[in-house]
């Protein structure tokens, strides 16, 4: 557009001006001056900046009373609209946002609403500047523009509303929550936006702009509150109604696609504003049905009767294929002009509209460039796609792989069809974006019922159901396939609990199909479809998402309940892609390998894969048709060039031999390492080489350059994670590579990359944890299968003398320091004892010093590591080390960080465990050697921690129980200990009776039982004794958690003397509580508690027999009354089952260990139970009672004799 009055418009071919540095938004920025910049500044500005500065200066100089105001405004608006302010231009645009806001605010005062043509141009200018310059407005500017456009909607004619709404949508973009009053006026039933966006609106262009405006109102920018739920609900309903409404007659397909795109964006913004709040009934089914239909918008040869609502069901809701429509004769070019394109009159309505559609045209050009592959491939494959339903064998073959021999359209028709396909492709893409938002917003359980509508649950026989796999395999656009893979990944993520029911190991039933078998079939179909996509995908970005989606599937599927073979096929298929040219693909492959080795590890199928021999002819050599030997995969970096993973031939043995170093004499250590490498799994050696070995050449995609270079950091990080997963899940297979793992870790710890150092420290920690697990007694690992202790000592000696020490002192990276502390805590205790004294001293000194740092991560890890060390046999008998550790823990318990206090409480629990062990092994000598004041401080600190948060409290009560067990009689009688002693017991009682988490409560019950084992505890005379027994009696009968009941019953059975139970009234209370708990032992509120029923009855039976063994003359009246009545018959029934070893068979190993800790005895054999019962009977018979109490005694004796008679003496059998 030419310019006049001295304002020059940009001329084509003008030489470029040097770009000026961008001006930062700050209070010190130069203020806007109407006079404009001087000549020196203009020389450094781009054409658009100079034009804007001159026009803004002239506009600021205008006043409302100017004589030529209308002409001046019209000309200035045209000049401003003629410039392209897009920041993707050659010269950077540095127009300040505050200058744009000042210009627009001043223009609102100059453009009266009566001048409708000027109003239209001004609205176009608002959209043009704010949209292209990405201006973030201040509140005042937003308020001025919102009020101006709202008044224009009320006062101006209808023909202006399209441009006014476009400006309004630009202003409220992401600011809908800040315009409450205006939004409420526009979104009411008779509001302008609702009227214009209604499906009954005949003006398609106006409807499109109104829907866009509603979508921008619903958009939520991070950091801002979402739109009110009532307005979101109104918009949601209208968007859904728009998607469900069929295309109006005589409506151009392109404009209809634009309507659908605007509605999909709005629905996506509604769903992205938070959790789903629109109902989970038909509303959810309607949304999913509409989205599923639009996922296939424009698919060639597809004629389906789509359901209006999807209902949750275990079976697929197969879409009904409509009868094929008769072939229509091809339209002539004139007919295509009438029906295939919008009319020219509509396009050239005004200059402003032409300028408005200019940005849309540029956006369309970008989309056409992005989707050029999709259009061309779909154009070539349309004819084959139309006949696909008749060819079941080709149904799952990707349609973009099918080529057509000739085109069906002329050039003019082809351009129109290509444009329509781009729009339809965008609809499918937005529908999948919206589906992704719905998956994230809807609760998982609500979504499980719709799985069969989007995931196939049966093999394709005949026409397959239309699912996400159909899009992944057949859509011509790589972007759409990528979106479908993202949706499938989101559905699979977190579905482990749902898929856990899948099983197909048993023979299939012919009468009906179990739900577990259907789930297993769905998993197999997902494997099959994703494997086809993996082989057919050509886009690196989409290929990466295919592999990531497979990783989500592997991480959530229960392969231990499925027939083996799925992971083996996947293992072979992904193997060639380890050498893919694209870095993200290689990283995704390693992530998938990590998912495989963590899936229900150790999995027998994966163990076999890891143990396969390293030979090209092995079953794990590669994919059929594109075999890639393992040695070829290891040496791919040494070959010149990199071909497609499916077409690179394997390197010949002669070629590989060239890379070998000359034969040199090897030391015995080198020979040993060579043997370890030969026996280590292929995946471990691959990951080790990716992490440590340099690359002799770089693929073209990563740039050329001389010299060796390591793999990119993302690939190395993924390889280190796979190594950690291997060590954690398959330690027996990798333990022979102890030196190789040590070398990898040492080399990575010596690097400067913080992430590499962190992951290598994690690898060391996992290796140390694996060794510790081997040496645990309960794991029963044969000594011949363990790593020898001297090897472990050598491993840690090398690691601790290397860069790990530097990592411990690296204060620049506290996360690395914390991880290094965790590594120190994973040293095998037996190996630590054999380390040199200076190495042991270094570890202890470093950990003690790190507890004084301010960083909470380092402090937490150091306190935890000291809590581990205090249990080491070589350190726990060192009173000085125990005292130093106790003082560190006591200081950490007063820290402000909850995490530090939680780890300190855990370490205090370990330290008090050490006190109990030393008391049992060393006797009174250790108790006397430990300072009384230190013991008092620990008791008081643990009491205070018992009132802290649950994560602190659960270990604080454990420490209290140990401390009360450890105290001597001489300490309890001292005045300084008496009050803390009472406060400690009352803290335990309060915790037992509280509403804390169940773990805290059962730890408190266990702690009381632990305290009761101290014979010096004055249970018979202390005032708090009654409260302790009352709390345990209440919990054993009323707590809904059975593990808490078990711990409380075990605690009630701990006291070894009758006097500990107090008077007959308290003894009777304990007896009746245990009897009532035994009677109600099957009344579980939560079905998950039923697995503990047998263990609970076992513990209660032992407790009742324990009370009978301690009973005295004064207890006979209550016992006889109980055993002679209805309560006694129930007790007898359960005791018979206990004595016959029918109770306790369902106990877990954890329960048995807890009972042994409480009772101090091994789990008794039935013969031993009968022996204790006979001893009790003999003692009661010899019990002397008064003349009036003989009858009560006879009742109890007869009860025990009946038990012996029914159960009978049994010969002891192994």
């Amino acid at each position: 557009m030419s310019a006049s009055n001295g304002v020059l418009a940009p001329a084509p071919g003008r030489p470029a001006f040097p770009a000026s540095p961008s001006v930062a938004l700050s209070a010190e920025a130069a203020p806007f001056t109407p006079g404009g910049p001087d000549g020196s500044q203009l020389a450094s500005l781009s054409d658009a900046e100079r034009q804007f500065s001159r026009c803004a200066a002239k506009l600021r100089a205008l006043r409302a009373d100017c004589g030529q105001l209308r002409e001046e405004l019209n000309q200035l608006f045209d000049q401003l609209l003629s410039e392209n302010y897009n920041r993707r231009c050659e010269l950077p645009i540095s127009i300040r946002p505050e200058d744009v806001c000042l210009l627009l605010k001043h223009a609102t005062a100059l453009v009266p609403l009566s001048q409708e043509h000027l109003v239209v141009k001004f609205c176009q200018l608002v959209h043009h500047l704010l949209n292209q310059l990405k201006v973030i407005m201040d509140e005042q500017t937003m308020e001025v523009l919102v009020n101006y456009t709202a008044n224009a909607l009320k006062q101006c004619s209808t023909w202006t509303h399209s441009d006014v709404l476009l400006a309004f949508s630009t202003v409220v973009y992401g600011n809908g929550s800040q315009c409450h009053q205006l939004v409420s006026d526009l979104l009411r039933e008779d509001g302008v936006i609702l009227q214009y966006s209604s499906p009954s609106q005949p003006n398609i262009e106006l409807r499109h702009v109104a829907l866009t405006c509603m979508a921008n109102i619903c958009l939520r920018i991070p950091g801002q509150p979402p739109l009110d739920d009532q307005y979101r609900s109104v918009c949601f309903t209208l968007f859904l109604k728009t998607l469900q409404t069929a295309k109006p007659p005589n409506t151009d397909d392109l404009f209809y696609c634009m309507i659908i795109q605007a509605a999909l964006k709005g629905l996506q913004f509604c769903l992205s504003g938070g959790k789903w709040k629109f109902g989970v009934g038909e509303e959810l089914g309607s949304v999913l049905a509409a989205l599923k239909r639009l996922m296939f918008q424009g698919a060639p040869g597809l004629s389906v009767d789509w359901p209006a609502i999807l209902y949750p069901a275990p079976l697929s809701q197969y879409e009904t294929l409509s009868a094929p429509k008769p072939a229509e004769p091809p339209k002539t070019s004139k007919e295509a002009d009438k029906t295939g394109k919008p009319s020219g009159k509509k396009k050239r309505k005004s200059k402003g509209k032409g300028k408005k559609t200019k940005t849309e045209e540029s956006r369309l050009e970008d989309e056409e460039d992005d989707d050029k592959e999709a259009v061309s491939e779909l154009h070539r494959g349309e004819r084959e796609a139309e006949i696909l339903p008749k060819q079941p064998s080709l149904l799952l073959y990707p349609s973009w792989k099918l080529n057509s021999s000739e085109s069906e359209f002329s050039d003019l028709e082809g351009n129109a069809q290509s444009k329509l396909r781009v729009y339809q492709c965008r609809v499918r893409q937005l529908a999948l974006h919206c589906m992704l938002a719905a998956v994230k917003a809807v609760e998982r359980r609500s979504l499980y019922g719709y799985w069969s509508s989007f995931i196939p649950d049966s093999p394709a026989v005949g026409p397959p159901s239309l699912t996400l796999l159909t899009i992944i395999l057949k859509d011509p656009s790589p972007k759409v396939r990528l979106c479908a893979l993202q949706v499938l990944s989101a559905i699979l993520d977190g579905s482990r609990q749902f898929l856990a029911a899948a099983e197909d190991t048993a023979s299939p039933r012919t009468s009906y199909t179990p739900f577990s078998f259907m789930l297993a079939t769905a998993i197999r179909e997902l494997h099959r479809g994703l494997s086809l996509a993996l082989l057919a995908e050509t886009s690196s970005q989409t290929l990466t998402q295919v592999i990531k989606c497979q990783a989500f599937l592997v991480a959530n599927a229960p392969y231990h309940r499925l027939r083996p073979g799925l992971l083996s096929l996947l293992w072979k298929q992904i193997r060639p892609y380890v050498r893919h040219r694209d870095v993200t693909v290689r990283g995704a492959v390693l992530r998938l390998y990590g998912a495989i080795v963590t899936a229900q590890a150790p999995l027998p199928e994966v163990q076999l894969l890891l143990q396969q021999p390293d030979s090209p002819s092995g079953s794990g050599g590669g994919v059929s048709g594109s075999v890639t030997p393992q040695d070829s995969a290891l040496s791919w970096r040494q070959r010149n060039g990199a071909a497609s993973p499916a077409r690179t031939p394997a390197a010949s043995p002669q070629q590989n031999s060239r890379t070998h170093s000359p034969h040199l004499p090897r030391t015995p250590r080198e020979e040993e390492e060579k043997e370890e490498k030969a026996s280590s799994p292929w995946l471990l050696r691959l990951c080790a080489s990716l992490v440590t070995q340099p690359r002799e050449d770089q693929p073209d995609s990563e740039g050329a350059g001389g010299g060796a270079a390591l793999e990119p950091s993302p690939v190395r990080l993924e390889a280190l994670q796979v190594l950690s997963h291997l060590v954690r899940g398959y330690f027996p297979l990798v333990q022979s590579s102890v030196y190789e793992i040590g070398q990898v870790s040492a080399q990575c710890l010596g690097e400067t990359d913080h992430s590499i150092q962190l992951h290598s420290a994690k690898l060391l920690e996992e290796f140390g944890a694996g060794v510790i697990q081997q040496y645990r007694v309960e794991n029963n690992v044969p000594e011949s299968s363990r790593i020898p202790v001297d090897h472990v000592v050598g491993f840690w000696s090398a690691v601790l003398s290397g860069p790990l020490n530097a990592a411990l002192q690296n204060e620049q990276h506290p996360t690395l320091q914390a991880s290094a502390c965790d590594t120190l805590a994973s040293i095998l205790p037996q190996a630590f004892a054999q380390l040199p004294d200076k190495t042991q001293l270094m570890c202890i000194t470093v950990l003690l010093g790190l507890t004084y740092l301010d960083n909470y991560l380092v402090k937490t890890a150091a306190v935890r590591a000291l809590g581990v060390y205090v249990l080491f046999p070589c350190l726990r008998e060192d009173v000085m080390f125990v005292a130093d550790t106790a003082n560190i823990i006591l200081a950490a318990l007063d820290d402000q960080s909850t995490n530090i206090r939680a780890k300190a409480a855990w370490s205090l629990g370990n330290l008090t465990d050490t006190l109990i062990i030393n008391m049992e092994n060393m006797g009174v000598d250790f108790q006397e050697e430990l300072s009384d004041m230190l013991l008092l401080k620990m008791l008081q600190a643990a009491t205070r921690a018992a009132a802290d948060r649950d994560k602190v409290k659960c270990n604080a009560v454990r420490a209290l129980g140990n401390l009360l067990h450890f105290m001597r009689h001489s300490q309890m009688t001292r005045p300084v200990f008496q009050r803390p002693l009472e406060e400690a017991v009352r803290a335990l009682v309060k915790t037992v009776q509280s509403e804390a988490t169940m773990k805290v409560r059962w730890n408190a019950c266990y702690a009381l039982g632990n305290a009761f084992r101290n014979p010096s505890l004055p249970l018979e005379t202390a005032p708090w004794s009654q409260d302790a027994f009352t709390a345990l009696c209440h919990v054993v009968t009323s707590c809904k958690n059975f593990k808490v009941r078990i711990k409380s019953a075990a605690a009630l059975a701990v006291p070894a003397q009758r006097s500990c139970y107090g008077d007959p009234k308290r003894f009777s209370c304990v007896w009746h509580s245990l009897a009532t708990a035994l009677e109600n032992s099957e009344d579980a509120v939560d079905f998950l508690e039923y697995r503990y029923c047998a263990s609970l009855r076992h513990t209660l039976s032992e407790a009742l027999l324990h009370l009978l063994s301690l009973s005295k003359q004064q207890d006979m009246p209550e016992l006889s009354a109980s055993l002679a009545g209805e309560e006694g018959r129930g007790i007898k029934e359960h005791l018979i089952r206990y004595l016959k070893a029918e109770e306790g068979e369902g106990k877990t190993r954890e329960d048995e260990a807890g009972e042994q800790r409480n009772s101090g005895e091994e789990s008794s054999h039935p013969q031993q139970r009968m022996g204790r019962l006979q001893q009790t009977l003999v003692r009661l018979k010899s019990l002397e009672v008064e003349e009036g109490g003989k009858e009560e005694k006879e009742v109890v004796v007869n009860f025990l004799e009946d038990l012996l008679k029914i159960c009978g003496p049994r010969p002891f059998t192994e």
Side-chain angles (χ1 to χ4, degrees), residues 84 108 126 193 208 245 257 262 333 352 373 428 587 630 804 874 899 921 939 942 972 991 1014 1062 1099 1148 1153 1209:
N84 182 13
T108 57
V126 170
I193 295 183
H208 170 252
T245 305
C257 285
S333 59
E373 177 191 354
R428 298 196 300 274
Q630 286 134 329
L804 182 62
C874 62
N899 290 333
N921 295 340
L939 186 65
M972 294 183 183
T991 305
N1014 189 341
T1099 307
T1148 63

Side-chain angles (χ1 to χ4, degrees), residues 665-810:
R666 293 187 177 92
T667 64
R669 179 63 172 269
E670 290 176 343
E671 292 290 346
E672 188 177 354
E673 292 179 3
K674 182 181 178 182
E675 293 178 2
E676 289 179 2
K677 283 188 175 182
S679 61
S680 60
W682 163 80
L683 185 58
L684 185 145
R685 288 183 288 111
L686 170 67
C687 293
S689 65
L690 291 175
V691 172
T692 59
Q693 292 184 10
R695 302 182 59 186
E696 294 184 357
D697 65 317
Q698 299 182 25
D700 297 337
S701 61
E702 297 176 25
L710 293 172
E711 280 283 347
S713 181
V715 175
R716 301 181 69 207
L717 291 176
E718 292 292 346
L720 282 171
Q721 289 192 29
V722 174
L723 286 175
S724 298
H725 297 326
L726 269 175
V727 171
R728 184 190 307 126
Y730 298 90
F731 188 82
L733 298 181
V734 302
Q735 68 181 29
S736 61
S737 305
V738 53
Y739 293 113
E740 187 174 1
I741 293 174
Q743 290 174 354
V744 171
S745 302
Q747 179 176 334
C748 293
L749 278 173
E751 297 187 14
T752 57
D753 190 336
H754 168 59
S755 300
I756 297 292
Q757 291 177 310
L758 190 62
H759 281 76
S760 61
K762 183 66 176 176
L763 175 59
L764 286 175
E765 181 188 353
E766 293 291 349
F767 184 83
V771 176
I772 292 175
Q773 288 297 324
Q774 276 195 337
Y775 278 82
R776 289 191 184 277
V777 178
E778 58 268 23
N779 290 335
N780 297 323
V781 178
E783 187 174 355
S784 58
S785 301
R786 302 175 185 171
I787 298 182
V789 175
D790 57 339
H791 286 197
V792 182
V793 172
F795 175 85
W796 285 114
S797 297
V799 169
L800 293 174
S801 62
L804 182 62
N805 196 9
L808 286 166
Q809 302 176 25
N810 190 348

Side-chain angles (χ1 to χ4, degrees), residues 870-916:
V870 80
L871 291 173
F872 283 7
C874 62
L875 295 177
R876 67 189 179 203
E877 296 180 0
D878 186 345
V879 179
M880 294 302 297
F881 172 72
V882 173
D884 290 341
T885 303
N887 288 320
I888 292 292
I889 293 173
L890 292 178
L893 281 173
D894 293 330
D895 197 275
Q896 295 181 352
S897 172
T898 305
N899 290 333
I900 293 178
R901 297 198 306 273
K903 289 301 180 185
W906 179 83
S907 298
L908 182 62
N910 286 3
L911 188 145
T912 55
D913 286 342
T914 293
L915 298 183
I916 300 299

Side-chain angles (χ1 to χ4, degrees), residues 874-1129:
C874 62
L875 295 177
R876 67 189 179 203
E877 296 180 0
D878 186 345
V879 179
M880 294 302 297
F881 172 72
V882 173
D884 290 341
T885 303
N887 288 320
I888 292 292
I889 293 173
L890 292 178
L893 281 173
D894 293 330
D895 197 275
Q896 295 181 352
S897 172
T898 305
N899 290 333
I900 293 178
R901 297 198 306 273
K903 289 301 180 185
W906 179 83
S907 298
L908 182 62
N910 286 3
L911 188 145
T912 55
D913 286 342
T914 293
L915 298 183
I916 300 299
I917 295 173
N918 288 339
M919 179 184 68
E920 294 173 351
N921 295 340
M922 303 172 61
V924 182
D925 294 340
F926 182 84
Q927 290 179 287
E928 293 177 347
E929 194 172 355
L930 189 68
S931 169
D932 287 355
M933 293 309 299
L934 180 59
L935 185 64
L936 179 62
K937 289 180 180 179
M938 287 192 288
L939 186 65
Q940 293 172 335
T943 304
R944 291 193 301 270
D948 206 330
R949 298 185 180 182
D950 283 356
K951 60 192 305 185
V952 181
K953 187 184 302 183
C954 64
N955 285 295
V957 295
R958 177 167 69 98
L960 279 178
N962 284 330
L963 290 171
L964 293 173
H965 183 191
F966 181 80
M967 292 176 64
R968 306 192 310 275
H969 178 74
S970 59
Q971 294 169 333
M972 294 183 183
T973 56
R974 292 177 57 184
V976 69
F977 274 91
Q978 290 182 356
R979 183 174 180 84
L981 173 64
E982 181 178 357
E983 291 176 350
V985 177
R986 293 196 181 280
L988 292 178
V989 171
K990 183 178 180 181
T991 305
V992 170
Q993 296 175 331
S994 68
E995 295 298 326
T997 59
M998 296 306 168
K999 181 178 181 180
V1000 174
R1001 297 181 70 183
W1002 78 57
N1003 272 2
C1005 293
Y1006 169 75
L1008 279 177
N1010 197 7
F1012 289 171
R1013 296 183 62 191
N1014 189 341
S1016 302
L1017 203 65
L1019 290 177
E1020 62 275 8
T1021 59
W1024 41 259
S1025 178
Q1026 178 65 34
D1027 296 336
F1029 280 101
T1030 302
L1032 291 174
C1033 290
H1034 175 74
V1035 168
V1036 79
T1037 57
S1038 62
C1039 185
K1040 63 181 180 180
N1041 185 278
F1042 277 19
K1043 293 185 73 174
V1044 177
R1045 293 194 194 184
I1046 293 170
K1047 294 295 188 295
S1048 59
L1052 289 172
V1054 167
Q1057 301 294 329
R1058 169 61 185 85
S1059 59
C1060 296
Y1061 289 95
D1063 57 16
K1065 183 177 180 182
R1066 186 195 298 178
F1067 184 89
S1068 173
C1069 177
V1070 173
W1071 171 269
H1072 287 294
S1073 298
L1074 293 173
T1076 303
L1078 188 60
E1079 182 182 356
N1080 301 329
S1081 58
E1082 295 183 358
D1083 298 341
V1085 178
D1086 189 349
F1087 75 96
L1088 294 176
E1089 300 298 328
Y1090 277 112
R1091 55 180 172 170
Y1092 301 114
C1093 283
S1095 181
L1096 174 61
R1097 290 192 292 269
H1098 176 92
T1099 307
L1100 290 170
S1101 300
E1102 282 188 341
L1104 288 172
L1105 288 177
H1106 177 73
L1107 289 180
L1108 285 174
S1109 66
L1110 298 179
S1111 58
K1112 297 291 186 180
Q1113 173 186 351
Q1114 62 268 27
D1115 305 319
M1116 292 299 118
E1118 288 293 336
L1119 291 178
S1120 61
S1122 172
L1123 296 176
E1126 186 67 28
E1127 188 177 63
R1129 286 190 287 273

Side-chain angles (χ1 to χ4, degrees), residues 61-268:
L62 293 177
R63 294 294 179 264
D65 54 355
C66 293
Q68 300 294 326
L69 178 63
R70 179 175 179 180
E71 290 76 11
E72 291 287 343
L73 287 175
N74 191 61
Q75 188 179 37
L76 290 174
F77 288 166
D78 286 342
Q79 291 171 0
L80 289 170
L81 285 168
S82 66
E83 287 297 337
N84 182 13
Y85 303 102
N86 199 318
R87 294 184 181 273
R88 289 183 294 178
C89 298
E90 295 181 1
L91 290 176
I93 305 296
S94 57
I95 298 175
R96 299 186 305 173
E98 55 264 34
D99 295 342
V100 178
C101 293
L102 284 173
L103 184 147
L104 295 178
K105 284 192 295 185
H106 186 68
T108 57
L110 299 177
V111 180
L113 296 179
S114 58
Q115 299 291 335
E116 294 185 345
H117 285 280
L118 280 180
V119 171
V120 168
K121 280 196 174 182
F122 173 68
C123 290
Q124 293 172 1
L125 180 64
V126 170
H127 171 72
H128 188 66
L129 293 178
L130 297 181
N131 187 42
Q132 288 199 358
L133 292 174
K134 304 295 186 291
V135 174
I136 299 178
M137 299 172 293
D138 55 81
E139 294 184 5
Q140 184 182 5
T141 304
M142 186 183 69
E143 183 179 358
V144 170
L145 293 179
V146 164
N147 291 331
Y148 183 88
T149 51
N151 292 329
L153 288 174
K154 296 178 182 178
Q155 301 181 27
C156 295
S157 303
T158 306
W159 71 271
T160 67
H161 286 185
S162 177
D163 294 283
V164 175
L165 281 174
L166 185 65
F168 178 76
S169 67
T170 308
V171 174
V172 299
Y173 183 84
N175 298 314
S177 60
Q178 302 179 20
C179 311
H180 294 284
Q181 185 60 40
L182 184 62
V183 168
S184 62
D185 293 339
L186 296 175
L187 294 182
R188 62 189 182 189
E189 292 185 5
D190 57 345
V192 176
I193 295 183
L194 279 187
Q195 290 181 1
Y196 288 158
S197 58
S198 173
S200 60
Q201 172 60 237
N203 190 332
I204 297 297
E205 186 176 359
L206 190 59
R207 181 182 172 194
H208 170 252
V209 178
L211 285 170
T212 303
C213 184
M214 288 183 64
N216 290 350
I217 290 175
C218 295
L219 174 64
R220 177 191 181 188
I221 295 179
Q224 292 188 0
L227 189 66
D228 288 348
D229 290 344
Q230 63 180 88
Y231 303 132
R232 280 178 60 197
S233 180
V234 171
C235 296
F236 169 83
T237 303
L238 186 61
F239 291 140
L240 179 58
K241 188 176 180 181
T242 302
L243 298 178
Q244 292 174 330
T245 305
K247 185 184 76 169
N250 302 324
T251 300
D252 183 73
D253 289 336
L254 293 179
F255 273 109
Y256 179 68
C257 285
M258 293 170 62
I259 293 290
I260 297 300
Q261 289 178 23
L264 285 171
K265 284 184 179 179
L267 188 60
Q268 179 186 353

